[in-house]
Every structure is written in C-alpha cells, then in structure tokens.
Amino acid sequence: AELIKVVKSVEDIQSKLRKFCINLLPEDRQTLTRSKRGIEEHLTNIAEQAKKLNLSITGASPDGILNDLRTDRELAPLEQALEVTLELVRDTRAQARSEASEVGYMYYGMLQGIGDRVPEVKALVRAFSDFLSAGRRRKPAGDDHKPVIG
C-alpha cells in the first residue's frame, strides 16, 4: 500500500513536469546538437556580447540562449535526484529478483526429485525447464514505466 502511494506521488510529479518539460521522439534525440561539456560559460559570454552589439538572427535571440541555459541549469539538480531515485529502485528490484531466483532454483531442484511421483509437480518442473532452455526473454513492453505493485 505504501508503494502505491509513492507511485502516485511520482505520477503527480510527472504531471507537473509535463507542464514545462518536453518528451522527444528517438529520432529527435538523434538530431540534437551535441555540445562539449562546460560550454555553458562560453555560450553565456557569446549571448551577452551579441546583446551588446545588437546582433540578431531571425527566430533565435541571445535571450533565447540565456533562457535555455537557465532551464538546463535549473533542471540539473532534479535530474540528479531522479537518477539517484532510479538507482535505488533498480538496485532493489535487482536484489529482490536475485533473491527470489536463488531460492526458487533451490525449490526447483527439490521439486525435480518429486516430479516423477506427482503429476502436477512434473508439469510445473517441465514448464520451468522449458522456460530456462528458451534463452533470454525480451523485457515486456512498459516494464520500466508501469510496474505492477500489489
């Protein structure tokens, strides 16, 4: 129940962020200009000098540069906090799956010995064996976005 409240809180934050953040399509991300780390100070100086000299480019003002830099700077701490949060969730999920799998494999080994005597156990063991031999499975669609919490 507590995790459901946390998910709702995160969804509320997402809703608030959608008011001033954007979501790029993969092809749009590929066309972005990749700037060198630390460029912000130089871009600020360029924008300030362009303003002093009254330089203009149609559809692109020096103030636009400064506004974009401010947006980048203000969102940086949020991005860092969210990355830490994602790491916590991903690490916890990975540990939980690891522990469940480790113990599950132990029970699977025990059930293999019982399977010859109990038909429903034999079917379960066969299904798990088939699952294991099928190779890696793709991540289900939406697995990263909407986990089922119960």
Side-chain angles (χ1 to χ4, degrees):
E2 186 65 27
L3 285 178
I4 292 172
K5 291 178 187 176
V6 172
V7 170
K8 176 69 175 122
S9 296
V10 170
E11 289 171 345
D12 290 344
I13 291 169
Q14 289 170 345
S15 178
K16 289 176 185 175
L17 289 174
R18 283 188 182 98
K19 294 176 184 172
F20 55 89
C21 289
I22 62 170
N23 194 284
L24 297 173
L25 296 172
E27 55 269 20
D28 294 331
R29 285 187 195 103
Q30 292 176 346
T31 64
L32 293 174
T33 302
R34 307 286 183 226
S35 57
K36 190 172 182 180
R37 192 178 311 244
I39 196 172
E40 298 83 5
E41 179 183 350
H42 298 285
L43 292 176
T44 299
N45 294 338
I46 287 169
E48 294 296 344
Q49 190 63 47
K51 282 173 66 169
K52 279 184 190 175
L53 298 173
N54 290 321
L55 299 177
S56 67
I57 298 172
T58 304
S61 71
D63 285 333
I65 295 172
L66 297 173
N67 288 340
D68 287 340
L69 290 171
R70 186 182 70 248
T71 298
D72 176 59
R73 186 176 55 252
E74 289 176 354
L75 286 173
L78 175 62
E79 181 181 27
Q80 291 167 356
L82 291 172
E83 284 175 353
V84 168
T85 303
L86 273 176
E87 186 175 338
L88 285 168
V89 171
R90 287 178 177 149
D91 287 351
T92 303
R93 290 185 69 205
Q95 182 68 32
R97 280 190 308 271
S98 174
E99 290 174 7
S101 295
E102 186 175 332
V103 175
Y105 285 128
M106 286 188 257
Y107 279 109
Y108 168 65
M110 293 169 67
L111 290 171
Q112 282 178 313
I114 300 170
D116 291 335
R117 298 183 304 272
V118 181
E120 73 181 61
V121 173
K122 185 174 186 173
L124 183 139
V125 166
R126 184 180 313 122
F128 190 61
S129 178
D130 291 346
F131 169 80
L132 292 175
S133 65
R136 295 200 129 203
R137 295 185 178 240
R138 289 181 178 225
K139 190 182 299 185
D143 184 50
D144 287 339
H145 304 290
K146 279 268 188 189
V148 177
I149 299 173

